[in-house]
Amino acid sequence: MNLYDRIPNNVNLSEDKKLQRALEKWLPNYLDWWREMGPEGFQEKDVWLRTAVDVGSEGWAHFDYVKMPDYRWGIFLEPPQPDAKVGFGDNYGRPAYQEVPGEFRNALRRIIVTQGDTEPASVEQQRQLGKTCPSLYDLRNLFQVNVEEGRHLWAMVYLLHGYFGRDGRDEADELLERRSGNPDKPRILEAFNQPCDDWLNFFAFTMFTDRDGKYQLSALAESGFEPLARTCQFMLTEEAHHMFVGDTGLGRVCRRTAQLMKEGDVRELGGIPLEIIQKYINFWFSYSLDLFGGEISSNSADFFAAGLKGRYKERDQYTDHLATDQNFTMTIVEDGELKTREVPLRNALNEVLRGEYVKDCEKGLARWNKVLADEGVSERLFLPHPRFHRHVGEFAGHTFDLQGNLISCEDFERKKDEWLPTMEDREYVRSLMHPVYEVGKIANWIAPPAAGIKGKPFDYEYVKL
Ligand SMILES: [Fe+2]
Ligand SMILES: [Fe+2]
């Protein structure tokens, strides 16, 4: 097999023998990881998947049946911009970094490793879900997300191997050694150690946690380190589908629940009550907010100053790319009370990015509530306050209700089962999860999608079992 068939790429890999050798050494380890930790039970099945073959806005993807271990995980970067400049921070306006600047080496490696670690982690979290899929359409979407997260790992490993020498190679090996939820060698970020073992979890995860990915990648797509910016820009193209899966998945669950509400008792009819959907939203939204990091952060200031990580749509949305003169008004907890504090803007950039994310999530809630309204039920879903159930930053270690009011630990413990999924809730949801493998059929707890994938109908044989 020639190199391009083994590792499809648009980075002239065949001309960089050293990098080529390094990646070819990593490839079998990656495949071992995929076989051990990728989707269980479906490795030899033909799945109708899209494969990235280029980065052009038209025809970047090719759709066909492929067995997942034969998927062509490739390395694709958006084309370089001539005269690319650092778009923000202390080096604003200087030529973009084509190599890793020595003084930012550790920071940059940490950013890339942290992003890279999330990609295989989510594959590990989702590896059992094929056994309980609600339809072949959903099964195919799960596997599409999984192989693309695998490709995103490739994207980050390319940067580590290509730009960080020996320690980059070591980090790339460790990305295959950590395991989601493993107490001895867990994944780096907590949301990626949480179990994702039923389809309501999966849809909430792809809605809220993949959406964190969108905002992190968008901030990195502004990076002055050009190879990182170009990589992340292309990853965002694929990421859009992951969020589509979560957003429409939850919308379809809402639709079915609303239909069952009109017929009688949702539980008796085998659906998922809205209260449980709300609890899953509360759980995954709050864990995903943690992924943005502390509200007040010297790292965020350093990354911005260095030109490594910008704001969401830094180039398009802002005119002041230095962000040195402004303050950001933040709510914090002090002496057991909520107080406001002025923080230099650069130290508040995690919170600024989190705010963009929350706005985006609200649009999802509006879509689901429209589904409920269209079905004629009066109940509505909502996002909990961003202070609720946080484990990172200013609000970690304090307890809040869904409206963001500071409450006592005891009050939180008393109310917790109304706000977050209980063991019984999880067991109930799991009890509904029986696989539906027949072409064109769908589980009772979810409505079919409005359309199939890429012009194919819902009743297409998306996976050949
Ligand atoms: Fe990803
Ligand atoms: Fe994703």
Side-chain angles (χ1 to χ4, degrees):
M1 221 193 258
N2 70 30
L3 175 66
Y4 187 88
D5 287 334
R6 284 195 308 275
I7 309 174
N9 67 87
N10 68 351
V11 294
N12 273 335
L13 195 51
S14 59
E15 281 167 26
D16 187 340
K17 292 292 170 215
K18 205 167 149 219
L19 178 59
Q20 185 186 325
R21 269 198 304 276
L23 287 172
E24 283 180 318
K25 246 178 103 180
W26 189 79
L27 172 62
N29 297 337
Y30 171 81
L31 283 173
D32 286 348
W33 167 81
W34 178 269
R35 286 189 181 277
E36 188 196 328
M37 296 311 295
E40 193 175 292
F42 296 88
Q43 299 276 352
E44 298 312 316
K45 306 297 182 193
D46 284 310
V47 187
W48 199 69
L49 291 174
R50 80 174 174 193
T51 304
V53 290
D54 195 5
V55 295
S57 57
E58 270 157 58
W60 64 271
H62 173 74
F63 285 75
D64 206 349
Y65 286 106
V66 52
K67 293 179 178 43
M68 285 182 277
D70 300 333
Y71 189 79
R72 302 290 88 191
W73 286 280
I75 300 163
F76 293 100
L77 276 61
E78 290 288 333
Q81 298 289 324
D83 304 323
K85 302 273 196 291
V86 177
F88 54 90
D90 295 347
N91 292 324
Y92 175 61
R94 302 222 183 118
Y97 321 128
Q98 300 301 333
E99 292 294 329
V100 179
E103 68 269 42
F104 306 144
R105 189 185 166 84
N106 287 344
L108 202 44
R109 193 181 60 210
R110 184 165 152 211
I111 289 173
I112 293 168
V113 167
T114 306
Q115 177 63 41
D117 194 65
T118 67
E119 315 287 357
S122 65
V123 175
E124 294 166 0
Q125 285 168 292
Q126 296 162 14
R127 64 189 298 258
Q128 302 293 345
L129 288 171
K131 295 170 184 168
T132 55
C133 67
S135 72
L136 287 186
Y137 164 91
D138 291 290
L139 186 63
R140 178 259 167 216
N141 284 349
L142 167 70
F143 295 155
Q144 185 69 61
V145 170
N146 292 159
V147 292
E148 285 174 351
E149 301 305 7
R151 203 200 69 72
H152 292 175
L153 173 60
W154 271 92
M156 293 297 119
V157 163
Y158 158 73
L159 295 175
L160 289 171
H161 275 286
Y163 295 90
F164 291 89
R166 176 169 199 141
D167 39 339
R169 289 200 293 282
D170 291 344
E171 294 281 11
D173 290 343
E174 284 169 33
L175 285 169
L176 296 177
E177 285 161 15
R178 286 185 286 272
R179 291 285 181 274
S180 175
N182 184 312
D184 299 326
K185 41 178 186 177
R187 291 295 175 182
I188 295 169
L189 299 168
E190 223 20 67
F192 293 88
N193 287 309
Q194 299 296 323
C196 187
D197 49 5
D198 67 58
W199 281 75
L200 191 59
N201 272 324
F202 174 64
F203 291 137
F205 183 95
T206 39
M207 169 71 193
F208 292 112
T209 309
D210 280 80
R211 193 172 306 274
D212 156 73
K214 168 183 165 182
Y215 283 85
Q216 300 303 332
L217 292 173
S218 299
L220 296 176
E222 303 286 338
S223 183
F225 179 47
E226 231 220 341
L228 176 63
R230 290 164 53 202
T231 306
C232 292
Q233 274 158 25
F234 184 63
M235 289 163 76
L236 282 165
T237 312
E238 291 163 312
E239 206 59 54
H241 177 67
H242 308 181
M243 289 174 286
F244 164 87
V245 168
D247 191 344
T248 57
L250 276 171
R252 291 159 54 209
V253 177
C254 290
R255 183 174 301 285
R256 185 62 186 146
T257 296
Q259 290 165 351
L260 295 173
M261 284 165 77
K262 291 180 286 184
E263 286 173 30
D265 183 88
V266 174
R267 272 177 191 261
E268 274 168 28
L269 294 167
I272 304 178
L274 278 185
E275 307 87 78
I276 294 186
I277 300 174
Q278 181 65 57
K279 290 184 192 182
Y280 275 59
I281 293 171
N282 298 345
F283 180 88
W284 283 107
F285 179 65
S286 56
Y287 266 112
S288 302
L289 291 174
D290 281 341
L291 295 171
F292 289 82
E295 279 70 14
I296 304 170
S297 163
S298 58
N299 272 338
S300 86
D302 292 346
F303 292 167
F304 187 87
L308 302 181
K309 187 176 176 187
R311 286 169 288 187
Y312 181 61
K313 297 191 174 165
E314 177 73 42
R315 282 176 175 80
D316 301 339
Q317 199 169 221
Y318 297 92
T319 48
D320 166 21
H321 297 294
L322 301 183
T324 38
D325 307 330
Q326 286 162 271
N327 282 337
F328 186 91
T329 310
M330 183 108 61
T331 305
I332 54 153
V333 183
E334 209 174 70
D335 304 328
E337 274 176 59
L338 287 173
K339 294 198 177 143
T340 54
R341 182 190 285 175
E342 295 282 300
V343 179
L345 181 56
R346 282 187 179 188
N347 290 78
L349 293 179
N350 288 344
E351 185 62 6
V352 172
L353 194 60
R354 188 164 20 235
E356 297 280 357
Y357 167 83
V358 171
K359 277 193 277 176
D360 201 18
C361 290
E362 275 164 1
K363 290 182 198 157
L365 267 292
R367 285 188 286 272
W368 305 335
N369 283 332
K370 180 164 186 313
V371 168
L372 297 177
D374 289 349
E375 291 293 336
V377 306
S378 56
E379 287 83 346
R380 295 292 178 262
L381 296 164
F382 58 92
L383 289 178
H385 194 281
R387 289 196 283 269
F388 173 75
H389 190 235
R390 293 288 302 282
H391 299 83
V392 170
E394 291 297 310
F395 308 118
H398 302 284
T399 38
F400 298 89
D401 64 14
L402 292 175
Q403 286 72 43
N405 300 307
L406 195 56
I407 58 171
S408 71
C409 222
E410 295 72 39
D411 282 347
F412 182 83
E413 285 301 316
R414 251 196 308 280
K415 298 288 275 185
K416 191 173 80 175
D417 288 355
E418 287 173 38
W419 295 339
L420 293 165
T422 61
M423 282 296 279
E424 293 80 56
D425 294 330
R426 292 179 185 281
E427 270 162 30
Y428 174 72
V429 172
R430 264 202 296 274
S431 77
L432 301 177
M433 301 284 140
H434 303 292
V436 177
Y437 292 140
E438 281 161 85
V439 176
K441 293 275 163 49
I442 184 120
N444 177 52
W445 53 268
I446 184 169
I453 294 292
K454 189 78 181 165
K456 300 282 187 223
F458 172 66
D459 61 358
Y460 185 68
E461 192 177 11
Y462 288 104
V463 186
K464 291 184 178 170
L465 296 174

